[in-house]
């Protein structure tokens, strides 16, 4: 994600980058042109979304909002406010049920799938690939890193179902 954002920024586009987790400061999760959001701008975003968060959490129709959901909303709001031309959005745990999955992407990228977050994503590479390939949208090209065969088959099948071109790094490029 950082490399893609850097390429777009260096090509002259105003580029937002949303990642998680952060390494040193929570502000590095939201960046524009490879620079983390300022603490002042972060605080303004918190104040902007606070009444909406309080209202949503009071109703709690779907449970309390998570920290990741709040950070995601703040990133989207900030990118809109500063008029980013491109947004590079990294998913949180997986894909299918991830808060970032509301975007309408130009391309979907699936990095190497391994046994992570098994309590949420599943206990086989195929199940994990099924969750992660939940980001695939109809007709949107998909780029995938080299995958174990059982994970690649799930991704390829989802691409066929959604009529998406699949580009395999290491084979196609």
């Amino acid at each position: 994600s950082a490399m893609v954002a850097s390429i777009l920024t260096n090509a002259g586009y105003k580029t937002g980058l949303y990642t998680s987790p952060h390494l040193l400061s929570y502000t590095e999760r939201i960046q524009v042109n490879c620079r983390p959001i300022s603490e002042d701008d972060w605080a303004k975003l918190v104040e902007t979304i606070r009444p909406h968060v309080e209202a949503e959490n009071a109703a709690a129709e779907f449970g309390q909002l998570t920290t990741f959901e709040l950070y995601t909303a703040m990133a989207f709001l900030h990118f809109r406010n500063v008029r980013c031309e491109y947004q590079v959005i990294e998913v949180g745990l997986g894909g299918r049920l991830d808060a970032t999955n509301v975007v309408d992407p130009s391309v979907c990228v699936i990095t190497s799938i391994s046994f992570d977050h098994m309590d949420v994503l599943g206990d086989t590479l195929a199940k994990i690939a099924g969750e992660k390939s939940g980001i695939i949208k109809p007709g949107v090209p998909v780029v995938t890193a080299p995958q174990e065969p059982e994970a690649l088959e799930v991704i390829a099948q989802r691409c066929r179902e959604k009529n998406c071109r699949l580009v395999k790094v290491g084979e196609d490029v």
Side-chain angles (χ1 to χ4, degrees), residues 53-72:
V53 171
E54 289 172 351
E56 185 64 32
N57 282 343
E61 185 177 345
F62 301 103
Q64 299 285 304
L65 294 169
T66 66
T67 300
F68 184 78
E69 290 167 333
L70 300 179
Y71 285 175
T72 302

Side-chain angles (χ1 to χ4, degrees), residues 20-74:
S20 72
H22 59 273
L23 299 175
L24 301 174
S25 169
Y26 52 86
T27 59
E28 67 194 59
R29 290 179 180 227
I30 301 173
Q31 298 184 30
V32 174
N33 290 346
C34 303
R35 291 190 197 102
I37 187 174
S38 71
E39 289 185 5
D40 285 345
D41 284 343
W42 182 277
K44 289 175 189 169
L45 287 171
V46 169
E47 290 306 313
T48 299
I49 70 167
R50 180 187 307 265
H52 305 285
V53 171
E54 289 172 351
E56 185 64 32
N57 282 343
E61 185 177 345
F62 301 103
Q64 299 285 304
L65 294 169
T66 66
T67 300
F68 184 78
E69 290 167 333
L70 300 179
Y71 285 175
T72 302
M74 290 169 56

Side-chain angles (χ1 to χ4, degrees), residues 14-148:
K14 191 168 197 175
T15 304
L17 171 64
Y18 177 57
T19 61
S20 72
H22 59 273
L23 299 175
L24 301 174
S25 169
Y26 52 86
T27 59
E28 67 194 59
R29 290 179 180 227
I30 301 173
Q31 298 184 30
V32 174
N33 290 346
C34 303
R35 291 190 197 102
I37 187 174
S38 71
E39 289 185 5
D40 285 345
D41 284 343
W42 182 277
K44 289 175 189 169
L45 287 171
V46 169
E47 290 306 313
T48 299
I49 70 167
R50 180 187 307 265
H52 305 285
V53 171
E54 289 172 351
E56 185 64 32
N57 282 343
E61 185 177 345
F62 301 103
Q64 299 285 304
L65 294 169
T66 66
T67 300
F68 184 78
E69 290 167 333
L70 300 179
Y71 285 175
T72 302
M74 290 169 56
F76 292 164
L77 181 60
H78 184 65
F79 297 154
R80 186 200 68 191
N81 289 347
V82 300
R83 301 182 189 277
C84 286
E85 296 170 272
Y86 286 95
Q87 298 175 26
V88 180
I89 309 296
E90 184 178 279
V91 300
L93 283 181
R96 185 176 65 91
L97 299 176
D98 197 273
T100 62
N101 203 14
V102 298
V103 300
D104 183 18
S106 300
V107 64
C108 296
V109 178
I110 300 177
T111 57
S112 180
I113 293 175
S114 60
F115 291 103
D116 62 345
H117 306 293
M118 293 169 59
D119 57 321
V120 176
L121 302 177
D123 59 358
T124 68
L125 287 179
K127 288 179 184 176
I128 295 169
E131 291 298 317
K132 291 190 180 247
S133 65
I135 66 167
I136 297 172
K137 304 290 193 287
V140 175
V142 176
V143 177
T144 184
Q147 303 289 350
E148 292 294 326

Side-chain angles (χ1 to χ4, degrees), residues 142-164:
V142 176
V143 177
T144 184
Q147 303 289 350
E148 292 294 326
E150 67 178 295
L152 182 58
E153 180 49 40
V154 172
I155 295 167
Q157 178 61 35
R158 182 70 50 90
C159 286
R160 287 189 292 273
E161 292 168 2
K162 301 283 185 175
N163 195 29
C164 301

